[in-house]
Amino acid sequence: MVFLNVKKLNVEYYTKNNSVHAVQDISFQLDQRDTIGIVGESGSGKSTLAMAILQLIPKNTGKVTGKIEMKSKRLLDLTPSEIREVRWVDIAAVFQKSMNALSPVHRVGNQLSDIYRLHEKNIPHKMLKQRIFQLLDMVNLPSHVYKAYPHELSGGMMQRVSIALGLMHNPKLLILDEATTALDVVTQTQILKELMELEEKMGLTRIMITHDLSIVASSCKKVAVMYSGQIVESGFVKDVLYNPLHPYTKSLIKSVPSLKGENRKITAIKGSIPDLSKPIEGCVFAARCPYAKEVCFQSAPENSELENNRAVKCHFVKGGEFVWEEGKQTIV
Amino acid sequence: MANYIQKRIITGILIIVVSIVLNFTLIKLSPGDPIRVLSGQDSPSPQMQAELTAKYGLDQSVFMQFINYVGNLAKGDLGVSILSNQPVLKMIMERIGPTLLLALTTAIIALIIGTALGIYCARYRGSRFDNIVSGSSYIFDSMPNFWLGMMLIMIFSSSLGWLPTSGMVDLRTNYTGFNYYLDVFKHWLLPATTIVLVTVPYYFRIARSSIIQVMSEDFITTLRATGMSESRIFNKYVFKNAILPTITVFGINLAYIVTGVAIVEIVFSWPGMGSFMLDAIHRRDYPLLMGIYLLLSISVAIMMIIVDVIYAYLDPRILYKER
Amino acid sequence: MSQPITEQALPQTPKEKNVLQRIYTIINQNNQLKIGSILLLFLVLIGVFAPLLALYSPTALGDGLLVPPSAEHWLGTDKLGRDLYSMILYGTRTSLMVGFVSAIISGIIGTIIGAYAGFYGGKVERLLTEINNIFLMMPTFFLILLVAALFGNSLIIVMVIIGLTGWASNARLMRAQALSIRERTFIKSSIAIGEKKSFIIFKHIIPNGIFPIIASTTMNISGAILIESSLSFIGLGDPNIISWGQIVFDGRSYMTSGWWVSTFSGFMIVITVLSFYLIGDGLNKVINPKLK
């Protein structure tokens, strides 16, 4: 059964003189307990996508159109008070820069309790405190964190506080927006491991927004690669990351150094992402694509759907293969 | 905390020391001989010269003179006014009451009005009300307070005749009880309005910009995502984060209120330190001016320590950064 | 605010444009800057062309004392029969000069002290920061008043003393800038190459961190003009110079019989101070768009 259905989602930001089409026609589906990684460079619209699902795009600066369905709820049609009820009970999030995730002049325990009480108004004080201690314990934090101020904790500890905060009401969907990016690799791995264990217990569905392919490879089942507001390739991690078809996915993978295996050349992707305030005629990646031909600049590629729920947006992907020169399969 | 307070006290003491040294140096550097400065006369009598020489040890080395000067200060002797031949400290104490009355009341009123306007305009940023208030805040901020005071006198006293132009009480009458207070209030109204009008923009801008800044912090996004209502986010979280800068500025301003209102006092002949200072300037009563300056430095230093301690208590990050 | 504010933070303008065009592009982005610059341009023109615009010599004593505004004397005359319109025109020069000279003195001192404190760190920084804190807290207006009273009231002394006491806020800004700029790679590599420290400060740190100082110096111009007018109002102004503050002071005795004396001269102070406030604030917003 489909748990989350995002269909033809568009987000446009308005600035003084123009508008930026930050998310364009994005569609994807998730089942319960699915985990999906959304990868892309900064500016690719992945954070905007997260904010759109969380309904956090201010009405005066941006417009969200399309459909986001969670089970039977149409999220975009909810009234403000209905949205408040969905928040944190159905959808919770862990944001980037967790050091700034809480108010610096209120104690951690005070804030956690305050937020807890939003969705469980009548909980007695004693039970509330107990529950918060439980939460801290769940993410392996000592109980004195309750009385601490955010600045007294380390980055890793604040990350754990943010996760405890996110899991507080057993949400069905958890969105992690670059949540572990600022941490050192050891802490990051450990927190990810703990998170996956908790998720197993709680039956969470997770959307992981990151620019780090290795995080997706080690912690997600599905992946969607975003470029300039569009999903250019999506599917299961084992298909997409081990046998990339879209030239952008290929170059993304090539730009990550590998610790194991042969010593291959790391190549950066030349150029920078296109200006989203102007409409693009052809393929969004054409300007930086090493394979681009005339057709790429003239018409936008179809989203070709392949087996195993895989989809690629490229003129040269035909029948599950990347065919560039007539009749020949090109291996990069 | 102890360490933090200690640091503040050291800075406070340094401010006082620097002021004393500056004061002393100014006497030494000023054109003409120090006796002329200290007596305020171009040709003081030989008897006066001898007195001053003995008192300040002017025949001794510069270093000894300084020690002597500091010694006199330590005894609470800020010098003797040339005008009235009275100890400076005593004279200041006699005149500080009306100044504090005017300064404290206006500071509190300006703080309340400025902060309230700032909060409101930050919340409804870009509204017509915000634009009008923000725009006028620039204009009032650019006004010399003495000029604004004079304009108010011209409008409300000279032309309309609603309010008295000068002083603190009407000397022709002998009011008692309620009528006395009413009379003081009438005299207070125009100078107070002047000070409030030029001070409000200050608090307004600090309150408005710190609220806008806090509203853009990451933790506000977190709180919104949890389903907290905008009013609760604002009342509990934004408010406490944003009010801290206002409190600091208010505390520091309190230290300066004596000079802050001096010129307005002069315009309205309010019987406080301002008019007193003006007299001292025109009659070249330098010991009195220097006494006022020293006292002012001391009160600034003490206020600074108090404000910083309160601030550290309110904002837990301060102590942490100091460590 | 830990991020250094450097030229990169400014909106990108193509390099081939000349300086004037670039200034124009920056000014055009912000309404405060626009209004402030127009006002300032107007004032500078008045100051420069005062001799051409004036109807009388500002010091010429006329026959009509305290004449209200008329066709002959646009803004009336003062108690000595001098033409206020002409006096106000010449007063523009005084205010602008006081503002610029004192703000530039305090800008230079503040920039150098702040840059040294932030770049050197350690004992130098602690010492300079302590001095800075003392100057930030000292009741400077009263100190200026004291100096003016003791040393006589020439305009030069007033300008210098305003400059010497007003550098502390600039130094604090520059120190913060230097602290973060010195962590950047190009500075580290300059140190590694073995370039002299003072060379690095003047070649890299100051040029890269100067923008907030420019904004704050513009604000200081307003402050200096206000201080000078207040001193004149107390009677500590330079008697040999025409200053708006002094005209307001003179008019104080004729509030009922000659309202125009103080009103117009004070209004000019408001306009001048306002123009620098607007420019300073506008610059701050252009440099740091978050402030909007």
Side-chain angles (χ1 to χ4, degrees), chain B residues 69-138:
Chain B
Y69 179 70
V70 175
N72 283 339
L73 290 180
K75 281 182 267 169
D77 180 1
L78 295 181
V80 173
S81 159
I82 295 157
L83 267 177
S84 61
N85 212 17
Q86 278 185 336
V88 167
L89 191 63
K90 187 175 160 238
M91 290 180 72
I92 293 174
M93 286 306 150
E94 277 167 10
R95 297 295 285 267
I96 200 139
T99 293
L100 288 181
L101 170 70
L102 184 62
L104 284 175
T105 46
T106 51
I108 291 166
I109 294 172
L111 172 75
I112 294 170
I113 297 179
T115 312
L117 282 175
I119 291 173
Y120 189 84
C121 289
R123 244 196 128 165
Y124 301 97
R125 180 150 59 125
S127 65
R128 182 182 291 181
F129 184 79
D130 176 30
N131 287 337
I132 291 172
V133 175
S134 298
S136 357
S137 84
Y138 282 109

Side-chain angles (χ1 to χ4, degrees), chain B:
Chain B
M1 188 79 183
N3 187 22
Y4 174 80
I5 295 176
Q6 205 181 326
K7 262 189 174 170
R8 300 295 116 167
I9 291 176
I10 291 173
T11 309
I13 291 172
L14 282 175
I15 290 180
I16 296 170
V17 170
V18 169
S19 309
I20 292 174
V21 174
L22 268 177
N23 239 335
F24 181 76
T25 327
L26 284 178
I27 302 175
K28 294 258 84 174
L29 283 183
S30 60
D33 72 320
I35 292 181
R36 194 186 67 92
V37 172
L38 291 168
S39 66
Q41 294 169 13
D42 285 328
S43 49
S45 65
Q47 189 204 344
M48 197 177 211
Q49 286 195 25
E51 253 175 45
L52 286 170
T53 310
K55 180 170 179 194
Y56 294 99
L58 293 178
D59 46 355
Q60 289 165 317
S61 71
V62 176
F63 180 72
M64 282 313 291
Q65 285 178 33
F66 182 68
I67 298 289
N68 210 329
Y69 179 70
V70 175
N72 283 339
L73 290 180
K75 281 182 267 169
D77 180 1
L78 295 181
V80 173
S81 159
I82 295 157
L83 267 177
S84 61
N85 212 17
Q86 278 185 336
V88 167
L89 191 63
K90 187 175 160 238
M91 290 180 72
I92 293 174
M93 286 306 150
E94 277 167 10
R95 297 295 285 267
I96 200 139
T99 293
L100 288 181
L101 170 70
L102 184 62
L104 284 175
T105 46
T106 51
I108 291 166
I109 294 172
L111 172 75
I112 294 170
I113 297 179
T115 312
L117 282 175
I119 291 173
Y120 189 84
C121 289
R123 244 196 128 165
Y124 301 97
R125 180 150 59 125
S127 65
R128 182 182 291 181
F129 184 79
D130 176 30
N131 287 337
I132 291 172
V133 175
S134 298
S136 357
S137 84
Y138 282 109
I139 294 172
F140 280 106
D141 214 13
S142 308
M143 275 185 198
N145 49 16
F146 54 89
W147 183 72
L148 178 63
M150 286 170 64
M151 293 298 116
L152 291 181
I153 290 178
M154 284 185 199
I155 297 169
F156 293 101
S157 305
S158 309
S159 302
L160 298 170
W162 290 351
L163 292 164
T165 43
S166 66
M168 193 164 93
V169 283
D170 197 335
L171 295 173
R172 287 162 301 179
T173 54
N174 217 343
Y175 290 127
T176 49
F178 175 76
N179 283 334
Y180 173 77
Y181 291 113
L182 187 70
D183 192 37
V184 172
F185 175 73
K186 275 188 189 162
H187 283 85
W188 170 87
L189 206 52
L190 278 187
T193 309
T194 309
I195 299 168
V196 168
L197 280 177
V198 295
T199 330
V200 160
Y202 203 58
Y203 294 116
F204 166 75
R205 252 180 296 122
I206 290 166
R208 183 176 178 274
S209 67
S210 54
I211 283 188
I212 287 173
Q213 199 243 324
V214 172
M215 292 289 274
S216 71
E217 300 263 349
D218 290 334
F219 73 86
I220 300 295
T221 313
T222 316
L223 292 174
R224 280 201 183 119
T226 64
M228 192 177 282
S229 66
E230 285 297 310
S231 57
R232 178 151 182 86
I233 293 177
F234 199 87
N235 296 339
K236 178 168 177 179
Y237 293 97
V238 177
F239 189 75
K240 188 171 176 189
N241 273 285
I243 205 69
L244 291 170
T246 315
I247 291 175
T248 329
V249 170
F250 178 68
I252 291 169
N253 275 7
L254 272 189
Y256 293 108
I257 46 178
V258 176
T259 35
V261 302
I263 292 182
V264 176
E265 283 186 6
I266 294 172
V267 174
F268 289 91
S269 310
W270 184 262
M273 300 274 290
S275 327
F276 189 46
M277 254 166 52
L278 190 67
D279 271 357
I281 290 167
H282 288 309
R283 305 207 202 166
R284 298 202 289 176
D285 193 343
Y286 299 120
L288 184 51
L289 280 179
M290 288 174 173
I292 298 176
Y293 175 63
L294 267 188
L295 217 62
L296 204 64
S297 307
I298 293 169
S299 68
V300 165
I302 293 171
M303 276 314 292
M304 186 206 70
I305 297 169
I306 295 173
V307 167
D308 278 349
V309 170
I310 293 176
Y311 196 47
Y313 175 76
L314 290 174
D315 187 345
R317 284 169 298 181
I318 299 290
L319 291 179
Y320 193 76
K321 273 182 207 150
E322 289 279 324
R323 242 183 265 157

Side-chain angles (χ1 to χ4, degrees), chain A residues 84 87 100 103 110 114 119, chain B residues 219 226-227 232 236-237 241:
Chain A
R84 277 215 295 278
R87 281 181 180 163
N100 306 329
S103 160
N110 176 347
D114 206 29
H119 300 287
Chain B
F219 73 86
T226 64
R232 178 151 182 86
K236 178 168 177 179
Y237 293 97
N241 273 285

Side-chain angles (χ1 to χ4, degrees), chain A residues 194-212:
Chain A
E194 288 168 19
L195 183 69
M196 282 159 76
E197 285 165 14
L198 285 171
E199 170 178 295
E200 192 66 29
K201 265 189 255 169
M202 300 168 76
L204 275 178
T205 307
R206 167 162 55 94
I207 297 178
M208 190 111 187
I209 289 173
T210 177
H211 65 269
D212 190 342

